[in-house]
């Protein structure tokens, strides 16, 4: 853990994050490091504060909450930055594909302006479609796609924006059960391959299991026996480090 | 029984409007036996075209209509895109509702009082900033370009479109859409314009059309603020209708038809623009986000919106100040001597028009409420889906220029011996009151939790008692608000009162418009202020009564 204090680490880092609402502590002081390519799962029942934590990471937490602590992405403190400058990709419970754009336009929308040439933008969009097994779908209306297709487009859209970290907000919960497995593999495969530090928020044990990374529980423990591997839980505990504030060069 | 409501409503509405249009179109081609018109031909049109300043009138109508609509929409879109994530925005609804309640005419007269050469605005900066010791010789009100007319329209249309936009925003998941767009690198304003606006525009399309049609065909605001010689087409036609020479009715009808054609043509142009706009902006839409923040934009749109609100409020305030003025020398900022004497002298005169306004407004609003409740309850009980197509029918009275069918409708009323009766007056107001009452009631009514109805039905066994004891009281708040809106709409009506009332009814609005062309600002101030006060009072009652009635019922909050 020592290196955290000296070298700005790659990955997503939460230091001493604590969220309070009306005097009630939703998230006790938590520090957490997510390495590139690693998926850390935050589990908790609804109302446990996990969505508040996610909102804090996105920069959309309501003013009614008092939140402290810092968020670092690849050595940059993004705590005070607006969402659009954090370069954190978010995959939501709903795919939130824009209904007034075609599938291709949804993807083009995400490509940063730094990619100037039109040809290059289209090329990137087509590559992304091909990767999602949707080659030739660019002119389609998102509303005509199946649930699995929409989920894949949504992930490709998130990745095209070139995020430095990814937040997954129960992205599988609204999919049919037989689809969940394949989409999980698709999503985790991509964040592994692109070496993106990823935080998965879920209440489903299957998600945590498939993610394969450490699991962090928030709020009161869910009913039923723990399903995640014991080792993962221990590994998560080891990450809840005491106050260690990284120095930023 | 319930099934009759939609049928009756349509019969009360569309049939007379359509018949009125036909009865206006026939004299336009020379056919009106009552006035000796037997020869069908194009003579009325020739006479219309020969009217001095005719083409200037047409030009003025198209120009001010388009300008007012474009600016109103731009201000609303600009303000929403720049300010949607602020606290001010969340309060916009509260700040804007008094502006929405104030009748057009009162706002227009207030604005005229404010910006006239001897108006309050000029007094506040003179002689300090301007050096004026006497009112400057400028044509600010009634300016030839129609700019003060456009400004007067904007003061009412911006709050209206803003309200419609706010309610459209509640119907899509704008919050989540925005987070998605921003997480892809777009700053708030760009995110709103590119992802929220295209989704809500279809829902504010009809209100935008209503604004365009209204701006092109309104008469009362034009009389107060628009150029007078020649005036916009609607006012020109209105003058012809009220000409002593009855033969002028024929070209007037031709003008009324032309008014309708112009509105239809401009709605077509607007529709073409709507279709073309996405094609032109396709590339911009997906060009990628920039990390610019728009602090300058925010300041600008807040300033524009604040100016609109301030002009409205200061205008109304200047009505009040004038009504208590004894002597007020230019360029002093406030009167030198105040008096109650104008109010004392005119209190008795106010009673007549005030009573007519009140009675007509209440009757029209209550009738509209009964019809709306009937239609909505029919929809609920007989399980008809919410009729999206019927929305177009509802908007018909708001899209067809009043002047295009009111004369014809009056002819028909004469035939039936109903012209100049209370029935005719209230019916003519109902035409414009009903759409607003229905629209404001429909959303809350359709989102009512049906389990209340079902359990009450099980307990009482009577649909009527369930309706009166459970459904209506639970909907009390939106119902009273809809009543207040209907009342406000009725108070503002000018042309329907003149035509259907057959000149026998004088309302506060009619008085205020007539007085506005005179020279006594004090009396005009009194009438315009009372005219503005009645709807405001209705709004306040609609908000205060449920709050008081249910002060011990937290669940009704």
């Amino acid at each position: 853990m020592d290196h955290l204090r000296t070298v700005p680490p790659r990955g997503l880092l939460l230091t001493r994050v604590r969220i309070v609402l009306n005097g009630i502590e939703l998230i006790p002081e938590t520090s957490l490091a997510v390495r590139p390519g690693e998926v850390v799962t935050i589990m908790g029942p609804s109302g446990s504060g996990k969505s508040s934590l996610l909102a804090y990471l996105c920069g959309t937490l309501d003013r009614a909450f008092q939140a402290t602590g810092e968020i670092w992405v690849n050595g940059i403190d993004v705590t005070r930055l607006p969402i659009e400058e954090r370069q954190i990709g978010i995959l939501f419970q709903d795919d939130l594909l824009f209904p007034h754009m075609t599938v291709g336009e949804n993807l083009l929308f995400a490509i940063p302006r730094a990619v100037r040439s039109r040809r290059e933008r289209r090329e990137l969009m087509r590559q992304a479609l091909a990767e999602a097994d949707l080659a030739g779908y660019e002119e389609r209306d998102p509303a005509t796609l199946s649930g699995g297709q929409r989920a894949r487009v949504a992930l490709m859209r998130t990745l095209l924006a070139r995020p430095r970290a990814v937040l997954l907000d129960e992205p599988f919960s609204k999919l049919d059960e037989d689809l969940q497995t394949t989409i999980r593999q698709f999503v985790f495969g991509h964040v592994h391959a692109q070496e993106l530090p990823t935080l998965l928020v879920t209440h489903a044990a299957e998600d945590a299991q498939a993610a394969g990374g450490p699991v962090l529980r928030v709020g009161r423990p869910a009913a039923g026996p723990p399903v995640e591997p014991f080792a993962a839980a221990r590994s998560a505990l080891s990450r809840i480090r005491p106050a260690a504030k990284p120095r930023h060069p | 029984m319930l099934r009759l409501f939609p049928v009756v409503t349509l019969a009360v509405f569309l049939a007379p409007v359509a018949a009125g249009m036909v009865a206006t179109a026939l004299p336009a081609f020379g056919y009106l036996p009552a006035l000796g018109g037997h020869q069908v031909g194009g003579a009325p049109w020739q006479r219309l075209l020969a009217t001095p300043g005719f083409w200037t009138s047409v030009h003025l109508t198209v120009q001010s209509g388009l300008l007012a609509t474009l600016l109103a929409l731009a201000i609303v879109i600009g303000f929403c895109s720049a300010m949607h994530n602020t606290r001010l925005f969340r309060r916009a609804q509260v700040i804007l509702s008094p502006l929405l309640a104030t009748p057009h005419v009162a706002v227009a007269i207030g604005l005229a009082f404010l910006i006239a050469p001897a108006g309050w605005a000029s007094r506040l900066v003179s002689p300090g900033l301007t050096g004026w010791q006497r009112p400057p010789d400028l044509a600010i009100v009634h300016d030839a370009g129609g700019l003060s007319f456009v400004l007067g329209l904007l003061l009412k249309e911006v709050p209206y479109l803003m309200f419609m936009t706010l309610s459209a925003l509640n119907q899509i998941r704008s919050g989540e859409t925005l987070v998605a767009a921003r997480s892809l690198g777009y700053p708030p304003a760009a995110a709103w314009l590119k992802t929220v606006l295209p989704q809500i525009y279809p829902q504010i399309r009809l209100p935008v059309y209503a604004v365009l049609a209204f701006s092109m065909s309104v008469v009362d605001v034009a009389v107060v603020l628009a150029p007078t010689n020649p005036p916009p087409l609607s006012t020109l036609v209105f003058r012809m209708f009220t000409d002593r020479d009855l033969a002028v009715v024929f070209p007037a009808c031709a003008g009324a038809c032309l008014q309708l054609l112009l509105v239809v043509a401009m709605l077509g142009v607007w529709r073409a623009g709507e279709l073309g706009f996405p094609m032109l902006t396709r590339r911009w839409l997906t060009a990628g986000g920039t990390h610019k923040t728009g602090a300058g934009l925010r300041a600008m749109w807040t300033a524009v919106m604040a100016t609109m609100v301030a002009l409205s409020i200061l205008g109304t305030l200047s009505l009040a100040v004038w009504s208590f003025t004894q002597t007020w020398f230019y360029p002093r900022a406030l009167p030198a001597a105040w008096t109650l004497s104008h109010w004392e002298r005119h209190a008795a005169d106010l009673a007549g028009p005030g009573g007519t306004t009140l009675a007509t407004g209440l009757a029209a609003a209550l009738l509209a409420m009964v019809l709306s409740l009937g239609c909505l309850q029919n929809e609920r009980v007989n399980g008809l889906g919410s009729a999206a197509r019927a929305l177009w029918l509802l908007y018909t009275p708001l899209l067809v220029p009043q002047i295009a069918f009111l004369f014809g409708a009056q002819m028909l009323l004469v035939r039936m011996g109903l012209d100049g009766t209370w029935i005719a007056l209230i019916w003519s107001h109902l035409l414009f009151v009903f759409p607003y009452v229905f629209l404001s009631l429909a959303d809350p009514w359709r989102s009512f939790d049906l389990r209340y109805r079902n359990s009450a039905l099980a307990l009482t066994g009577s649909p009527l008692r369930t309706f009166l004891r459970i459904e209506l009281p639970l909907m009390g708040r939106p119902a009273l608000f809809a009543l207040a809106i209907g009342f406000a709409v009725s108070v503002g009506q000018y042309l329907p009162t003149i035509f259907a009332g057959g000149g026998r009814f004088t309302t506060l609005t009619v008085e205020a418009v007539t007085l506005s062309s005179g020279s006594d600002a004090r009396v005009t101030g009194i009438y315009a202020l009372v005219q503005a006060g009645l709807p405001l009072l209705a709004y306040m009652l609609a908000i205060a009564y449920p709050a008081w009635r249910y002060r011990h019922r937290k669940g009704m909050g």
Side-chain angles (χ1 to χ4, degrees):
Chain A
M1 289 300 149
D2 246 358
H3 68 282
L4 283 178
R5 254 172 250 159
T6 49
V7 187
R10 287 184 25 82
L12 176 67
L13 192 66
L14 279 61
T15 59
R16 309 177 67 181
V17 170
R18 179 171 180 265
I19 301 176
V20 175
L21 176 66
N22 300 330
I24 298 163
E25 192 173 57
L26 292 177
I27 301 285
E29 193 169 290
T30 304
S31 294
L32 178 68
V34 188
R35 288 189 299 266
E38 185 181 43
V39 182
V40 172
T41 305
I42 295 181
M43 267 190 81
S46 52
S48 62
K50 62 183 195 303
S51 36
S52 312
L53 179 61
L54 199 81
Y56 185 56
L57 292 173
C58 300
T60 56
L61 191 65
D62 195 276
R63 276 162 197 258
F65 294 87
Q66 292 127 38
T68 49
E70 290 163 6
I71 305 151
W72 293 69
V73 178
N74 285 0
I76 297 168
D77 180 1
V78 301
T79 318
R80 311 257 164 265
L81 293 181
I83 325 168
E84 60 269 23
E85 290 175 33
R86 294 190 175 199
Q87 294 193 283
I88 296 178
I90 312 168
L91 207 55
F92 302 88
Q93 205 167 24
D94 297 287
D95 50 66
L96 291 178
L97 296 181
F98 304 126
H100 58 295
M101 299 183 192
T102 63
V103 169
E105 282 169 343
N106 263 285
L107 296 176
L108 283 171
F109 184 83
I111 302 171
R113 187 165 278 203
V115 185
R116 294 209 139 246
S117 105
R118 242 181 133 191
R119 213 158 42 93
E120 211 177 325
R121 295 178 73 84
R122 299 204 83 82
E123 191 46 44
L124 283 172
M125 180 262 286
R126 291 211 182 90
Q127 271 173 22
L129 277 177
E131 248 179 86
D133 254 341
L134 292 168
Y137 274 62
E138 59 177 279
E139 290 301 326
R140 286 279 288 270
D141 175 357
T144 64
L145 263 51
S146 73
Q149 289 170 331
R150 290 172 66 99
R152 299 207 296 271
V153 176
L155 177 74
M156 294 326 288
R157 188 176 73 174
T158 302
L159 295 179
L160 277 174
R162 299 184 182 168
R164 301 215 171 112
V166 172
L167 303 179
L168 305 174
D169 180 9
E170 309 218 14
F172 316 116
S173 61
K174 288 204 177 163
L175 293 171
D176 291 342
E177 230 161 279
D178 49 334
L179 256 178
Q180 287 192 1
T181 319
T182 47
I183 297 298
R184 269 193 212 111
Q185 280 170 0
F186 182 76
V187 171
F188 294 142
H190 272 88
V191 297
H192 285 313
Q194 300 202 7
E195 300 226 305
L196 287 165
T198 302
L199 207 57
L200 167 67
V201 171
T202 183
H203 66 272
E206 299 87 343
D207 289 352
Q209 211 161 14
V215 178
L216 185 70
R217 287 186 172 280
V218 293
R220 59 199 159 76
V227 216
E228 76 276 15
F230 186 57
R234 206 167 43 201
S235 148
L237 282 174
S238 75
R239 270 162 218 286
I240 308 172
R241 296 165 301 120
K245 192 179 172 184
R247 245 179 293 137
H248 187 52
Chain B
M1 229 297 264
L2 269 178
R3 285 178 199 276
L4 284 176
F5 270 96
V7 182
V8 169
T9 308
L10 281 184
V12 168
F13 271 92
L14 298 182
V17 172
M21 267 155 58
V22 172
T24 309
L26 290 177
F29 293 96
Y31 184 78
L32 185 61
L35 288 179
H38 296 288
Q39 262 195 323
V40 176
W45 290 87
Q46 283 165 4
R47 243 191 110 175
L48 176 71
L49 294 181
T51 312
F54 169 76
W55 290 109
T56 318
S57 289
V58 171
H59 178 244
L60 199 59
T61 293
V62 172
Q63 179 186 290
S64 43
L66 264 186
L67 198 60
T69 313
L70 279 172
L71 285 177
L73 192 60
I75 291 172
V76 168
I77 289 175
F79 182 77
C80 288
S81 70
M83 301 296 290
H84 62 84
N85 50 357
T86 62
R87 281 186 201 181
L88 179 68
F89 190 77
R90 265 163 262 152
R91 290 203 201 116
Q93 206 145 3
V94 182
I95 299 171
L96 291 176
S97 41
L99 305 190
L100 207 61
T102 319
H104 286 90
V105 172
V107 171
I109 294 175
L111 181 69
F113 277 21
L114 194 62
I115 64 173
W120 215 5
S122 134
R123 288 167 193 261
L124 285 175
V125 295
S126 301
L129 288 176
T130 58
W132 293 334
Q133 291 297 341
R134 46 179 56 237
D137 190 15
L138 294 171
I140 300 176
V141 178
H142 303 301
D143 64 298
L147 293 181
S148 59
F149 174 44
V150 169
L151 184 60
L153 290 170
L154 283 181
L155 291 191
K156 278 295 290 178
E157 285 164 359
V158 167
Y160 170 66
L161 282 184
M162 191 70 201
F163 248 72
M164 292 320 222
T165 307
L166 288 174
S167 85
L169 281 175
N170 288 336
Q171 287 169 32
I172 68 158
R173 300 153 65 191
S174 56
E176 291 171 41
T177 305
L178 280 169
V179 174
R182 288 182 65 184
S183 75
L184 297 171
Y186 290 80
W192 198 90
L193 289 174
K194 291 182 180 193
T195 64
V196 174
L197 178 61
Q199 294 187 56
I200 58 162
Y201 185 77
Q203 288 166 74
I204 58 167
R205 172 180 292 141
L206 279 173
V208 169
Y209 291 178
V211 164
L212 180 58
F214 179 84
S215 306
M216 289 180 70
S217 50
V218 65
V219 169
D220 43 23
V221 178
V223 169
V224 178
L225 290 171
T228 48
N229 205 14
L233 183 65
S234 55
T235 316
L236 183 76
V237 173
F238 177 61
R239 276 190 204 163
M240 292 162 92
F241 272 128
T242 49
D243 200 299
R244 282 207 192 93
D245 179 3
L246 286 178
V248 183
V249 160
F250 293 94
C253 284
C257 291
L258 180 68
Q259 179 79 51
L260 176 66
L261 294 177
L262 270 184
V263 167
V264 170
M266 291 319 290
L267 286 175
V269 169
W270 192 273
R271 181 77 192 122
E274 274 174 9
L275 293 174
F277 199 72
M279 280 187 257
L280 293 174
T281 53
R282 227 40 314 166
R283 262 186 86 175
W284 165 80
L285 195 65
T286 56
T290 51
H291 297 308
K292 275 184 222 139
T293 50
L297 273 181
R298 246 168 216 246
M300 186 187 94
W301 288 116
T302 313
V304 171
M305 193 56 103
T307 309
M308 293 287 138
V309 175
L311 284 175
S312 253
I313 293 175
L314 285 177
T316 312
L317 212 56
S318 72
L319 295 175
V321 171
W322 269 112
S323 73
F324 293 108
T325 293
Q326 189 168 21
T327 43
W328 192 356
F329 301 111
Y330 192 87
R332 289 198 43 171
L334 284 173
W338 302 80
T339 177
L340 276 173
S341 66
H342 312 302
W343 283 91
E344 284 161 6
R345 201 163 348 120
H346 290 278
D349 302 339
L350 273 171
T356 311
T357 306
L358 205 62
T360 316
L362 286 177
L366 281 170
L367 273 174
M369 175 63 75
V370 170
L371 288 175
S372 302
L373 286 174
C375 291
L376 288 166
Q377 194 65 4
N378 177 51
E379 196 178 293
R380 181 179 286 173
V381 174
N382 296 325
L384 304 170
S386 77
R389 274 162 296 137
L391 206 58
W392 270 99
L393 297 178
L394 265 181
Y395 267 89
T396 308
L398 309 182
L399 295 178
V400 177
Q402 295 186 342
I403 201 128
F405 67 90
L406 279 175
F407 174 75
Q410 190 192 14
M411 293 291 99
L412 298 172
L413 288 170
V414 171
R415 280 249 164 137
M416 294 186 282
L418 284 173
D419 67 312
T421 60
W422 282 98
I423 296 176
L425 182 68
I426 290 167
W427 165 77
S428 73
H429 280 219
L430 188 60
L431 275 184
F432 306 100
V433 170
F434 176 75
Y436 286 106
V437 171
F438 185 89
L439 288 173
S440 83
L441 199 57
D443 281 338
W445 198 263
R446 283 169 185 157
S447 60
F448 178 77
D449 188 343
L450 282 179
R451 287 173 301 179
Y452 285 119
R453 174 181 158 83
N454 293 336
S455 52
L457 275 177
L459 289 170
T460 66
S462 153
L464 187 64
R465 278 178 64 192
T466 300
F467 177 77
L468 292 176
R469 302 280 302 275
I470 303 298
E471 290 170 274
L472 201 50
L474 280 176
M475 284 283 123
R477 199 180 290 265
L480 278 177
F481 202 70
L483 265 183
I485 289 177
F487 180 72
V489 171
S490 165
V491 169
Q493 295 304 319
Y494 178 67
L495 282 189
T497 313
I498 300 233
F499 277 99
R504 261 168 249 175
F505 293 96
T506 305
T507 59
L508 292 171
T509 302
V510 173
E511 283 289 342
V513 173
T514 313
L515 287 167
S516 73
S517 53
S519 57
D520 197 342
R522 295 160 178 88
V523 187
T524 314
I526 287 178
Y527 277 88
L529 196 65
V530 176
Q531 191 221 7
L534 281 181
L536 269 179
L537 200 66
Y539 269 61
M540 270 153 52
L541 282 177
I543 292 168
Y545 177 74
W548 173 81
R549 175 71 180 75
Y550 296 112
R551 65 197 178 283
H552 302 308
R553 301 281 182 279
K554 273 190 181 167
M556 293 293 288

